[in-house]
Amino acid sequence: MSAGERAKAKAEQVVGKAVRKAAHAVGQDTTAAKGAALEARGKARGTKEKAKGGFRH
């Protein structure tokens, strides 16, 4: 897993979580859902990159 891809995945997770929590706090359900989707995409990207790295031996 390259460091750049790992950083992108973690950044998506962090930004998604922040957006989700902030939107939920002010009652914006649509924006909260978009934040949750961004967070999930970051987690999926991180999992994909970990799987790639595991087969490079």
Side-chain angles (χ1 to χ4, degrees), residues 9-21 32-46:
K10 191 64 175 175
E12 281 185 342
Q13 289 176 27
V14 170
V15 170
K17 185 178 235 179
V19 167
R20 180 177 53 86
K21 287 187 178 261
K34 289 178 183 178
L38 183 62
E39 185 179 3
R41 186 172 71 188
K43 286 181 182 180
R45 178 180 283 184

Side-chain angles (χ1 to χ4, degrees), residues 18-38:
V19 167
R20 180 177 53 86
K21 287 187 178 261
H24 185 69
V26 296
Q28 294 181 348
D29 293 332
T30 304
T31 307
K34 289 178 183 178
L38 183 62

Side-chain angles (χ1 to χ4, degrees), residues 42-56:
K43 286 181 182 180
R45 178 180 283 184
T47 302
K48 181 179 100 176
E49 289 300 317
K50 283 182 185 177
K52 276 186 187 177
F55 295 113
R56 290 187 192 164

